[in-house]
Every structure is written in structure tokens, then in C-alpha cells.
Amino acid sequence: MHVGAPGAIGRQLLKRAVPAIALALSGVAHAQRWTVDTSVTAQATVTDNSAFEESRLEGPNDVVLTVAPSATFRREGARLRASGTVGLSAAHYVDGTQAGRLVPAGNVGATLEAIERSFFIDATAVVTQTRSNPFAPRAAGVPSADRLQTAQARISPYLQGNPSPNLRYLVRSDNSWTETRAREGAAGELNGYVGRHFAEIERLPRPWGFALQAEHTATRFTDTTQGTLTLDIARVRTDYAFGPELVLGLRAGYERNNYVLGDKGNRSIYGAEAMWRPTERTDLNAHWERRFFGSGWRASFAHRRPRIAFSALLSRDVGSAPQSLFTLAPTDDVAALMDAAFTTRVPDPVERARLVQDVIARQGLPTSLGAPVTIYTQRISLISSRSASVVLLGARSSIAFTAFDLRTEDLPDTVFAVFSTAAENNIQRGGAVTYSHQMTPLTSLNATYGYTRTRALRAIAPDASDQHALRVQTQHRFGTRTFGFLGARYQLFNSSTTSDAREKAAFAGLTHRF
């Protein structure tokens, strides 16, 4: 059985992340409130192509046995907030057509108010599985063989305060370490660090306001001849409030970096921004700037009602793989979508987290939907992202939808552009929809469909691939915390550079919540 063991960087990640999270978890005990949901799922799958990931239309038949324990928790205290999900998936192929796999996954975060209303510490640890090739097929139901096991840790101490009712300050240091570990013989390993250090003093618009900002970003990759890649920005903003709901402003400043050959990375910047919050349920934040790479922007929109939640994000900026932990928003988290939808009806975050887990278990909803493959390379890229997610919750039916468009390309006039390949220069588009219906008080039906399309940029290569995946299952509650399920899936993969692939499978299993 193949187990991804952590390397030297992985041990460093644990040394940095564990003490910070342990410090957070040592908060005020008497004020703490917990909710913990643990479960284990055992599943047997009969497949007609266990080699789907190897791009084969017809593969060996096999029976795959999987066991997946997991735990989801949330803690709310006077000085500490913590939440996360951790799990492990083990797969065994009865006929030995593939090697057994043991794959961990988790996302844990905490915020500690170390000094009351002044000094805070954010800590995050993430372990995920992704593909080393965005054009390859993405198998569902079992851990991937052609995978990258990625560990990321972030520690962010920061100072913030309000010296007066209209004046506030923020000094924050985001530090993220990333290690990716590929299976033996596969490419794609990356170890790196990114630090973003930011300071701001702001006068709130009453109706006029202003802000002074300074930012320094440093990116380092191990096992490379590149030195530290740096980006420095100094910026001034001025805002005017047209009432309590709408604020418009202008921004200007100067930036310099060592990404671009020559002095093209040193130039002035200018732009505009807007903030609109007509009610506590609707929030829009947007800005646009003229940067050294052209236009850069970020616009986020969120709206919620008692039975619906919608979010959208549009952005264009430079970034790297180690930076993805705190720059690219997730688009596939079903629990986060449902949490937003329940906010109005259940204001208490602990009770709301418990309700979300109950609905997901009772209706057989997937925990995640489709998302683009994060490209882990030792380079700075220009990343344009568009994504949207929505969830609608009914008395007996629920539907969640997500769509994404991610364009990753090398920065022009840089050393990275000399070694351009399709893996680092492509467009990923896709989406997924899941529908669940409570047929009886004990039985539910769920159907999930996902589509992904990956295209290389025309100037690089003609690589292209498409994948469809359909999953249908029915679930029955045998007890208060025990569910049985039965279903089938179909996957179809088409590619211009590798062989096509197809798989049909049927599965059955049990989930027990403790």
C-alpha cells in the first residue's frame, strides 16, 4: 500500500503549524462551545475500468473496497474560533489491478485573540490531493494514483486597533509554506514559501476617508537557482461615502519587482474601488488597478436569504502555488454554501455547523463539487479567475451549483516565459450541479453531474481535454446515525493528446456517524 510520507519541508510545516494551532486551542476554556461530527464510510465499488486514470477506454474489471473515517468540528469561544475537517481514505483493489492507497486530507484553521482587541494569530493547515497534469482524467470515487499530495501551512500574526472612532490600523504578516509530494517516479514536486507583509492606516469615510498602505511579498522555491522573488507596493486610497450603503474611491501608488527583465516591473499604479452593502445580507467589494502586467482587479459578491446563498468572485493578479492558500477562494465547498444559506435562520455558528452536517448526511449530498486543478510549479504566473456558486434549500429538496473559469499563463518579459509549457499555460472551465430530494422521511435521492474542459493557450500547444462525470445514488436511514446507500456512476474523458477513457461503476456502502 502506497503511503505519502512527509519530507523535510513537511516536518517544517508541522513544526510551524502545530504549535500555532495548539496555542490557539489553549484559549479560554470556560467560554468554549464545541460541535464535533465524526463518521466512517465503508464502500464497495464494482468497476469495469480500474485504470481510468491511465486514459483507457476499456480497463480491467475490479472490486474496490474503501474505508474513509472523517471528523468535522467547530469551536467558538470568547478569544478563540476554530473549525476544520480531517479525514483519511484507504482503498484496496480485490483483484490487484491497482496498488492500494492510503490518502489523508484535511483543512483546519483557528483564530486566537492573544491580546484583547489588539493582537491576533491566524493559523491554517491544509492537506489536499490534486493532479500533476491538468489535462489528465480525474477519477471519482477512489484516491488518485497520479496525484500530488499537497501540504500547506499558514501562520498570520497581526495587530489591529482603533485609536479613535474614525481611525484604524492593521499590521499583518501572512507566512505560507507549501510542500507537494508526487508518487514515486512522477513529476510535479514543489517546495516553497511566500510571505506577504502588509501595513495600513485608514480613516473611515465620514464622508471623506483615506488610507495609506505598504506591502511586501517574498516568494522562495527550494531546489532552484532562482533567488527570492519580491514585489513591493506603496499605495494611497481616498474614499467618499454616498451614504451608509455605498462607498466609492480612487487609489494610486508605485510598485517594483524583480519578476520582469529590465525595469518594466517598476512603475506607477492607479485605479478605482467600490464597496456596496445595501443590507446585511448583500455585500459587494471591487477594485481595479493599472499594474505592470496590465489591468488587475478583484470583485467579490455575496448574497443570502433564508433559503438561498450566492457568491461570485472575479480576479486578475500575479500569484504562485504557495500563495494559493490565501489568494484563490474555494469554489466547491458545499458545506460553506449551506452555512451561508442558514445564517439568517440560525445565527449561532455552532448550531448552524451542526445543522449543516445533519442536512448533508440526511440528504446524501457530496461534500465538494467541481473545481480547477491548482498548478504547482516553481514560477510566478498571471492568474485570471472567475467563479460562482449558489445553493437553494427547500423543505424536501436541495440544489447546489458551481461554475469556474481559471486562466493561468506566464508573465511576459520574464524568465518564466522562456520555458512555457501547456501545464503552466492553460484555461480550465467547468462546473457541477448536485440535486437531492427527500423521497420519504428515511429515504433520499441524490444526483450529481460535473464537467471540466481544459485547453492550452494557442501560442503554447494544441493540448485539450474534456471530462463528464455523472453519479446517482439513493440513501436510506437505518438508524438515528446509520445510513446505507446504493448507486452508480459514469465517467467519460476525451483528449487530443492522450487516449480517451471511459468507466462505468456501481457501488454500495454504509455511513455511521458517532
Side-chain angles (χ1 to χ4, degrees):
M1 180 171 289
H2 176 75
V3 180
I9 298 295
R11 290 189 292 270
Q12 293 177 21
L13 293 178
L14 294 176
K15 289 180 181 178
R16 294 182 174 102
V18 171
I21 293 177
L23 175 63
L25 294 176
S26 65
V28 183
H30 69 269
Q32 70 181 17
R33 295 170 57 248
W34 283 90
T35 178
V36 180
D37 185 271
T38 57
S39 66
V40 61
T41 297
Q43 178 175 315
T45 303
V46 180
T47 175
D48 70 348
N49 186 2
S50 64
F52 175 82
E53 292 176 310
E54 300 172 10
S55 301
R56 295 175 59 174
L57 276 174
E58 295 183 1
N61 299 332
D62 209 336
V63 177
V64 188
L65 304 178
T66 57
V67 177
S70 68
T72 299
F73 71 92
R74 187 180 186 105
R75 180 194 190 278
E76 293 287 332
R79 304 279 289 273
L80 170 68
R81 298 188 306 275
S83 62
T85 299
V86 294
L88 188 68
S89 180
H92 171 70
Y93 291 78
V94 174
D95 293 335
T97 59
Q98 302 290 325
R101 302 160 196 171
L102 182 63
V103 179
N107 188 334
V108 178
T111 298
L112 172 67
E113 188 177 351
I115 301 177
E116 186 175 5
R117 293 181 294 182
S118 178
F119 180 54
F120 303 81
I121 300 174
D122 283 348
T124 304
V126 179
V127 176
T128 57
Q129 310 296 323
T130 187
R131 302 302 306 272
S132 58
N133 179 6
F135 295 91
R138 311 175 191 184
V142 296
S144 170
D146 180 23
R147 75 178 191 274
L148 290 176
Q149 180 171 300
T150 304
Q152 289 183 293
R154 183 186 71 174
I155 300 175
S156 303
Y158 61 98
L159 291 164
Q160 68 177 22
N162 295 79
S164 69
N166 294 332
L167 191 68
R168 64 186 181 189
Y169 66 86
L170 171 66
V171 180
R172 183 180 177 105
S173 177
D174 292 312
N175 303 271
S176 176
W177 295 264
T178 299
E179 179 192 70
T180 64
R181 186 177 182 85
R183 65 183 176 89
E184 186 175 354
E189 294 195 1
L190 162 72
N191 301 321
Y193 161 83
V194 61
R196 178 181 178 269
H197 315 292
F198 177 82
E200 176 185 56
I201 184 168
E202 178 183 18
R203 183 189 186 278
L204 301 179
R206 300 286 192 267
W208 285 104
F210 70 89
L212 302 175
Q213 298 177 335
E215 179 180 340
H216 173 73
T217 302
T219 305
R220 295 192 297 270
F221 299 106
T222 60
D223 304 323
T224 179
T225 58
Q226 296 171 348
T228 301
L229 302 168
T230 61
L231 170 65
D232 296 290
I233 300 176
R235 182 187 291 114
V236 60
R237 298 170 30 231
T238 180
D239 300 302
Y240 185 82
F242 293 85
E245 300 89 9
L246 179 64
V247 177
L248 300 179
L250 300 174
R251 47 174 60 196
Y254 186 81
E255 66 180 330
R256 65 182 182 185
N257 65 70
N258 60 359
Y259 308 159
V260 182
L261 302 175
D263 61 355
K264 296 181 181 179
N266 306 328
R267 60 177 297 166
S268 59
I269 58 178
Y270 58 88
E273 61 188 28
M275 290 158 281
W276 181 55
R277 195 177 187 188
T279 70
E280 64 176 8
R281 300 179 181 180
T282 304
D283 192 13
L284 170 66
N285 286 275
H287 72 258
W288 170 88
E289 285 183 325
R290 188 65 181 178
R291 300 282 304 278
F292 73 93
F293 55 83
S295 293
W297 61 77
R298 184 179 180 90
S300 62
F301 176 75
H303 176 72
R304 58 179 171 83
R305 297 180 66 83
R307 293 189 178 275
I308 185 173
F310 174 81
S311 64
L313 175 67
L314 292 83
S315 66
R316 186 174 191 262
D317 203 349
V318 293
S320 63
Q323 200 171 355
S324 64
L325 183 59
F326 48 84
T327 57
L328 294 179
T331 60
D332 62 340
D333 193 335
V334 174
L337 286 171
M338 297 182 66
D339 184 87
F342 282 127
T343 299
T344 300
R345 285 187 285 169
V346 187
D348 183 85
V350 173
E351 293 301 319
R352 191 168 64 245
R354 185 178 294 114
L355 176 61
V356 167
Q357 293 303 317
D358 288 343
V359 173
I360 289 177
R362 186 174 64 252
Q363 298 189 0
L365 290 166
T367 57
S368 62
L369 296 173
V373 173
T374 301
I375 302 171
Y376 291 91
T377 57
Q378 300 186 115
R379 61 210 302 129
I380 303 293
S381 300
L382 179 58
I383 302 173
S384 303
S385 175
R386 295 181 291 177
S387 63
S389 302
V390 62
V391 61
L392 296 92
L393 304 174
R396 297 180 60 186
S397 300
S398 301
I399 185 169
F401 172 81
T402 184
F404 61 85
D405 183 310
L406 181 68
R407 179 188 179 103
T408 305
E409 56 189 316
D410 288 326
L411 284 167
D413 302 318
T414 66
V415 66
F416 310 114
V418 178
F419 306 101
S420 297
T421 67
E424 298 96 15
N425 294 265
N426 56 68
I427 301 174
Q428 299 180 59
R429 295 189 176 104
V433 59
T434 183
Y435 172 78
S436 181
H437 178 68
Q438 196 75 35
M439 296 185 293
T440 72
L442 299 179
T443 305
S444 63
L445 176 70
N446 175 262
T448 302
Y449 169 75
Y451 171 71
T452 304
R453 180 179 187 182
T454 306
R455 296 285 183 272
L457 299 182
R458 292 184 178 180
I460 306 299
D463 298 16
S465 66
D466 296 87
Q467 182 166 333
H468 303 261
L470 175 65
R471 175 189 174 101
V472 179
Q473 77 171 43
T474 182
Q475 178 170 281
H476 183 78
R477 179 189 292 183
F478 292 107
T480 305
R481 292 184 168 271
T482 303
F483 302 84
F485 56 89
L486 177 69
R489 70 168 182 255
Y490 177 75
Q491 301 181 91
L492 178 64
F493 173 79
N494 297 310
S495 173
S496 64
T497 58
T498 63
S499 301
D500 296 341
R502 182 177 60 231
E503 186 222 25
K504 298 186 292 294
F507 56 86
L510 286 172
T511 296
H512 180 73
R513 300 172 65 200
F514 298 94

